Amino acid sequence: MGHYIEVESGVKVYVEDIGTGQPVVFIHGWPLNSKSFEMQANELALQGFRFIGIDLRGFGKSDKPWTGYDYDTQASDVKAVVDHLGLENFVLAGFSMGGAIAIRYMSKFGGQGVDKLMLMGAAAPLFTQRDDFEINLKPEEVDGIIEQIKKDRPAFLAQFADMFFEQEQSPEFLHWFQMLGLEAAAHSTINAAVALKDEDLRSELAGISVPTTIFHGQKDQICAYALAEEMNKQIPNSVLVPFEQSGHGINGDEPEKFNTELVNVLNGSEVK
């Protein structure tokens, strides 16, 4: 079933809520929405878990206000959903930008209610390079992306889909992926890209105290595999699960391995 939950006065986000059991809260990547996890929703419900997929503000079926695309506000929106649904002992699973927002949730709210953390292709601790951080995109490359979105958002999303996956996907799948991106507002897509470019989570990794599993594609062209190695070094009690055949979209490139590893983590049988 779907819920619309008010996260601040006049702003509602859409939440997909499927199955029963321990809740697993999924935060999607830029510029997608919770539908990007449909194969996980199905599998988790079958395995006795409760899938909760949040459409972040500006994306999917959620309201699309002009402001609030910084990680602080997005993490507060997640907290509002958690509080509204009364979630406890849940698994927080963030993909790409959603992984960054999950880390901010952990630091801003002391990981309230979180039993385990999963970071999947996470855009963390930084999405863009700094003088003292040489991994991933240069800030001006993100500026270039923003210009492309302003010029021709559908064409950009088609090109982005090609970068997103390492394995060959059907034309229909890639079209579906583009449509997910088009469900977002243009201003949301741009403002969230600015957050990706500017936000810095480096000081927030050491304080994460729950068991953390990092899923990352070794051929990722959007969030370099070196980011996963950095997170694994900095987050205490973290386990890195490499996806050798995957680009950024690991649940599309290696769907069977992704779901198997996901259920292993949820059942507490992951390799330490």
Side-chain angles (χ1 to χ4, degrees):
M1 59 187 280
H3 308 274
Y4 279 96
I5 294 170
E6 191 164 59
V7 291
E8 67 177 53
S9 182
V11 179
K12 289 183 176 164
V13 300
Y14 178 78
V15 180
E16 201 68 73
D17 188 348
I18 299 162
T20 54
Q22 185 183 24
V24 188
V25 177
F26 281 83
I27 312 176
H28 63 81
W30 178 93
L32 307 172
N33 56 58
S34 62
K35 286 182 196 163
S36 58
F37 301 117
E38 66 176 27
M39 290 188 287
Q40 284 66 56
N42 186 44
E43 183 65 18
L44 293 191
L46 283 171
Q47 298 284 346
F49 292 93
R50 180 180 172 192
F51 171 92
I52 294 175
I54 301 173
D55 284 1
L56 294 168
R57 67 166 65 207
F59 301 91
K61 295 182 184 176
S62 291
D63 285 347
K64 298 170 174 69
W66 178 244
T67 57
Y69 298 98
D70 56 287
Y71 292 172
D72 248 30
T73 307
Q74 299 273 28
S76 296
D77 289 353
V78 172
K79 175 77 161 44
V81 169
V82 166
D83 290 348
H84 182 89
L85 296 177
L87 303 179
E88 294 174 348
N89 297 322
F90 64 92
V91 178
L92 185 58
F95 172 75
S96 195
M97 180 179 78
I101 292 165
I103 291 169
R104 178 58 55 83
Y105 177 93
M106 298 303 291
S107 61
K108 188 176 170 71
F109 301 110
Q112 188 185 320
V114 178
D115 181 42
K116 292 175 184 166
L117 177 65
M118 299 189 67
L119 301 171
M120 309 170 294
L126 288 164
F127 185 65
T128 52
Q129 296 178 20
R130 303 288 193 273
D131 289 342
D132 56 350
F133 192 85
E134 294 181 351
I135 305 170
N136 221 47
L137 303 185
K138 295 186 165 75
E140 52 270 26
E141 291 180 271
V142 180
D143 292 333
I145 287 169
I146 290 168
E147 287 313 307
Q148 290 176 64
I149 292 166
K150 287 178 177 172
K151 195 168 120 193
D152 188 339
R153 188 163 68 111
F156 167 77
L157 287 167
Q159 180 196 331
F160 188 64
D162 282 340
M163 280 180 69
F164 210 86
F165 301 102
E166 179 67 23
Q167 302 304 317
E168 195 166 332
Q169 307 289 343
S170 70
E172 294 80 7
F173 180 88
L174 293 173
H175 178 68
W176 171 76
F177 178 88
Q178 289 166 248
M179 295 308 291
L180 296 186
L182 285 170
E183 287 178 29
H187 65 268
S188 315
T189 306
I190 290 165
N191 291 335
V194 172
L196 274 165
K197 182 180 79 163
D198 294 345
E199 298 261 13
D200 185 348
L201 300 160
R202 283 179 291 182
S203 65
E204 296 168 47
L205 302 182
I208 295 171
S209 58
V210 300
T212 301
T213 309
I214 299 162
F215 285 8
H216 217 101
Q218 289 191 324
K219 298 178 176 178
D220 195 327
Q221 296 179 54
I222 292 164
C223 292
Y225 187 70
L227 290 176
E229 294 174 321
E230 188 63 27
M231 287 186 283
N232 188 209
K233 255 187 258 170
Q234 304 290 341
I235 298 173
N237 202 11
S238 62
V239 177
L240 174 54
V241 180
F243 285 72
E244 291 89 358
Q245 306 307 316
S246 286
H248 192 50
I250 40 185
N251 62 336
D253 277 340
E254 295 183 76
E256 287 173 8
K257 176 177 175 175
F258 186 92
N259 278 351
T260 301
E261 295 283 0
L262 175 62
V263 170
N264 284 345
V265 171
L266 298 181
N267 285 325
S269 54
E270 70 273 25
V271 178
K272 281 282 181 265

